[in-house]
Amino acid sequence: MHDQRKVRQEVDEKTREKRLAEVQAFTSAYGSLLRKRDDHVYSEAVLQQLSELLQKNPEAYSMYNYRRIALLHLWGKMREEKVGPADATENTTQVGGDTATGGLPSSQSDETKRHAPRGEIEWLKDELKLSSTILISDYKVYAAFMHRRWIFAQLERLAKDALYAITATDTAGAAVQSGSDRVEHPEELRFWSSALTKEKKQCDMLLAADERNFHAWNYRRWILSEIARMEKLLAQYSIDLNASASKNTAEEQVPAMKQQQQEEEEEQQKLKPQSCGGSGGNDGEPCGSFFIPEELKEMRFTTTMLRRNFSNYSAWHQRGVIINTALQRLQERSDDNVTRDVALKEAWGQLEEDLEFFITAVYCDPADQSAWYYIQFLIRAANTLESISPAHHAVRLEFTTRPIQACIEILGEEKRLGDEAEAYWPRYYLFTVLLASFGAGKSNSDGKNKARAAVMAFASEIRKVLCPNDSPGDSREIEEDCVWCLRELAAELVRADPLRSGMYKSLLARVTS
């Protein structure tokens, strides 16, 4: 872990010689593959060598690139080999007049269509297995995650090609059956869909093992976006793969599986927003829901991860992404007043809930920076929501005052325990908010002026907690307390973080000089 000192391990001579031999063998294999890459050697034998090398050292980034180039080259050769014989057969058939259309016999054409993309899919399945093996041995290999992105990009290409081919055939006048007799969806499309769904579940398993694995968080976020794009594509062509799959397997399901599926459907129904009914909206339309069902799932997922460990920047970030997306959607909505009011009420409620979440996090671990970054986003989100629909003054002001009160309490506890300026982030937060308020001056916005006044009103409390022995003067001005607090906080920050002393002094000089 990041906060643990690495301990050097002593090894005996025999072990050292063995490791040295392994390093030399790896270096030799690596150099050989680099030379083959320069010579444009793209063969299945090279792929096998690359597979063995990457399992020994998954961080060999150049070898992933070489592997992808080799695969693309092999696939290109496969297509050329299949196109050549097909053209020859077509010419022979046209001369002989064996078919009515002058093309391939229908059975041979169907066989070609069925097996043409299979080669690439099988290759990609092997790539998924290889990268899975690597991630099982070390689930923080960034290159392996990037390689899986490339794999899914190829799966998407194959799925779209197969889908467009069927669409083009239907448009050209081929007989299209309807209902239960309709031709099954292409295998490429079904595999792409099922692989994405499985990938999301595997990401959840990785985060269950290590909730702070930011590589898995970033990859999972990408997978969710890919699933959304896939669902949009399927909706465009009115394709329901779930209905097709459930129809094919309904008779084979045991009662326990059917019950589990029914429970999952009921859970999905609970997540769906309630319809407006008689409130002026259309039946079945979401009524005032701030989050869509998928976002609700993600919020619950991030809540679970954060409750396990508040020191999880990736979970806070994912939470912010969801709220920001919902806010953007709320700004673009043009619902009736009732629907919009309900959505705005839910939005303010969510921000207040996250404010309490932040307070709990900083009380548990004031030294962890992730929650302090999140409060910056939360304040901006409250400002955005305020611009859409002003909230009650007391509600909006809490996003300014509650973090300051938490900082004062944390510093007060530190003073009582006799610790030596260990709470860096509360000091830095107070320093920045006082700087922003003291140097801002009066604004045309009444809300900003009230927030500024609320911050500066804490100056005397901050001064008291920083210097408990300081006797308050009756004639002391708020501005005087602010300047004193800024200078004291800057001095303590310089002692705690001397590498950034120039930054603190420069910021202080801007408002005090």
Side-chain angles (χ1 to χ4, degrees), residues 298-352:
E298 282 301 292
M299 290 296 288
R300 292 174 181 175
F301 182 77
T302 57
T303 299
T304 301
M305 294 293 105
L306 287 169
R307 284 176 177 170
R308 288 176 56 180
N309 189 346
F310 282 121
S311 181
N312 190 338
Y313 177 84
S314 297
W316 289 110
H317 177 69
Q318 177 71 354
R319 201 172 181 87
V321 169
I322 300 166
I323 292 177
N324 193 50
T325 302
L327 282 174
Q328 291 177 357
R329 187 171 56 249
L330 186 58
Q331 287 178 300
E332 298 169 358
R333 288 175 62 169
S334 58
D335 301 324
D336 58 86
N337 292 334
V338 175
T339 302
R340 188 174 178 81
D341 288 345
V342 174
L344 289 168
K345 183 178 179 181
E346 291 182 9
W348 278 114
Q350 183 61 55
L351 294 187
E352 290 181 71

Side-chain angles (χ1 to χ4, degrees), residues 32-47 49-50 66-67 69-71 73-74:
S32 174
L33 285 169
L34 285 178
R35 289 189 293 272
K36 290 181 179 180
R37 184 193 63 178
D38 295 339
D39 294 336
H40 305 288
V41 178
Y42 307 123
S43 63
E44 294 187 35
V46 164
L47 289 177
Q49 294 172 13
L50 287 169
Y66 184 18
R67 188 174 185 86
I69 294 172
L71 285 168
H73 179 81
L74 289 172

Side-chain angles (χ1 to χ4, degrees), residues 109 119 132 139 338 455:
S109 177
S132 295
Y139 52 80
V338 175
V455 171

Side-chain angles (χ1 to χ4, degrees), residues 204-253:
D204 292 348
M205 293 172 63
L206 281 176
L207 292 175
D210 180 6
E211 66 275 0
R212 297 177 63 186
N213 184 352
F214 62 89
H215 293 310
W217 276 103
N218 291 335
Y219 181 66
R220 183 178 180 276
R221 190 178 302 113
W222 180 80
I223 285 294
L224 289 173
S225 66
E226 291 298 294
I227 291 175
R229 290 177 61 247
M230 177 200 67
E231 291 175 346
K232 184 177 180 180
L233 178 68
L234 297 181
Q236 180 182 350
Y237 287 89
S238 302
I239 296 175
D240 188 356
L241 294 176
N242 294 328
S244 176
S246 61
K247 181 178 179 181
N248 293 334
T249 59
E251 297 180 357
E252 301 175 3
Q253 283 185 331

Side-chain angles (χ1 to χ4, degrees), residues 400 404 408 426-441 451-463 466 478-479 481-490 507-508 511-512:
T400 301
I404 296 176
I408 292 173
R427 285 177 169 80
Y428 183 74
Y429 184 83
L430 291 175
F431 183 66
T432 54
V433 295
L434 284 175
L435 273 176
S437 299
F438 187 73
R452 176 178 178 272
V455 171
M456 296 185 67
F458 280 102
S460 61
E461 292 186 46
I462 297 172
R463 181 169 184 171
L466 291 175
I478 293 179
E479 287 77 5
D481 285 336
C482 282
V483 172
W484 187 95
C485 290
L486 285 169
R487 287 175 175 164
E488 181 64 22
L489 287 168
L507 290 172
L508 179 64
V511 296
T512 58

Side-chain angles (χ1 to χ4, degrees), residues 176-183:
V176 180
Q177 298 172 338
S178 60
S180 60
D181 297 331
R182 184 163 185 168
V183 179

Side-chain angles (χ1 to χ4, degrees), residues 10 14 25 64-65 81 91 93 165 196 275 302 304 332 381-382 418 469:
E10 298 294 335
K14 184 177 181 180
Y64 288 98
N65 294 333
E81 292 172 357
N91 294 333
T93 307
L196 279 174
S275 61
T302 57
T304 301
E332 298 169 358
N469 299 326

